[in-house]
Amino acid sequence: MNLLALGLFVPGIWLPMFALKSEMGAWFGQGRLTADLVDKELSILQTVEELWRDDRLLVAALIFFFSVAIPVIKTLLVSLAWYWHKLGKGRKLADWIAAIGKWSMADVFVVAIFLAVLSTDHAETTATQAINLFGLRIDFEISSATLSTLGPGFYYFVGYCILSLAASQLLHFSLRRQPAADQM
C-alpha cells in the first residue's frame, strides 16, 4: 500500500493540480474586445518554483516542505518500519511515525489551500460605463471572469494522502498487536 501511495505521489506533484483562467472583456455596441489576464496550469512543484522566482521564499519553502519533503520522508520511514517489522522490530519507529503523522496532514492542508483558490470558479464581475466623446455618448460593459478547474495532479495527490495515511495506520495497528518483547 505504501508503494502504491508513492506511485500516486509522483504524478501528484508533477501533474497540474489546477488550471486557472481569467479573462477580461469589453462590449460596446456590436464590438467586443477580450484579453486573457491569466491562463495557467500549475503542479505543486511548478507552484513552488513560481513562488521561489517571485521571492515568496517562505511560502515556497513551506509548500515544498509539507507537500514534498515530509511525504517522502514519511513514506521512506513507513517502508523502513515495515522492513524492520518483518525482522521482529519496528515498534518504536512506527510509534514515532504515528506521532509525526499529524504533521504530514499538512499536505492535506496544501490541497485545502488549492481548493480555496479554486473557489473563485466562475467568479464574474460586470460594470457598465459610459464615455461622452464630442457630444456622442458611448455605452460599454467591462467584465471579468475567472474559471478554475481541478487538474489530474489533484486527484493523484489526494489518492496519495489517503493511501499514505492508511498505510501508516495499518502498520501502526499491526505492530501494536504484536507482543512488546518482539520489538526494538
Side-chain angles (χ1 to χ4, degrees):
M1 190 179 290
N2 202 33
L3 291 176
L4 182 58
L6 189 59
L8 293 173
F9 174 75
V10 173
I13 63 171
W14 282 99
L15 293 175
M17 180 72 82
F18 70 98
L20 184 64
K21 182 175 179 134
S22 184
E23 182 180 85
M24 187 172 99
W27 292 266
F28 51 94
Q30 299 298 322
R32 177 183 170 159
L33 298 172
T34 61
D36 286 339
L37 301 175
V38 176
D39 189 5
K40 63 171 76 175
E41 293 182 337
L42 290 174
S43 69
I44 289 176
L45 292 177
Q46 290 169 325
T47 301
V48 169
E49 180 184 349
E50 191 167 299
L51 289 168
W52 191 267
R53 270 186 306 196
D54 291 344
D55 289 328
R56 298 179 192 166
L57 304 179
L58 179 62
V59 177
L62 288 172
I63 290 175
F64 180 81
F65 182 71
F66 287 116
S67 296
V68 179
I70 284 191
V72 168
I73 291 167
K74 181 184 171 200
T75 301
L76 292 173
L77 289 175
V78 167
S79 297
L80 184 61
W82 181 252
Y83 175 73
W84 283 354
H85 160 69
K86 294 294 186 182
L87 299 175
K89 301 177 181 182
R91 178 178 258 165
K92 286 183 184 177
L93 183 57
D95 287 344
W96 189 74
I97 292 168
I100 67 163
K102 292 161 187 67
W103 284 100
S104 71
M105 288 305 291
D107 51 11
V108 177
F109 177 70
V110 170
V111 172
I113 290 172
F114 278 115
L115 288 176
V117 169
L118 292 176
S119 68
T120 62
D121 193 22
H122 296 290
E124 288 190 37
T125 58
T126 302
T128 303
Q129 301 291 324
I131 295 178
N132 287 319
L133 189 62
F134 304 113
L136 180 64
R137 180 183 165 109
I138 302 173
D139 292 325
F140 61 97
E141 253 183 38
I142 298 176
S143 78
S144 65
T146 302
L147 174 65
S148 53
T149 56
L150 294 172
F154 171 80
Y155 299 106
Y156 281 105
F157 196 76
V158 168
Y160 155 76
C161 291
I162 292 168
L163 280 177
S164 174
L165 184 60
S168 62
Q169 289 300 311
L170 286 174
L171 174 67
H172 183 69
F173 290 133
S174 69
L175 291 177
R176 280 278 174 211
R177 290 187 357 208
Q178 288 184 352
D182 294 342
Q183 302 304 314
M184 327 193 268

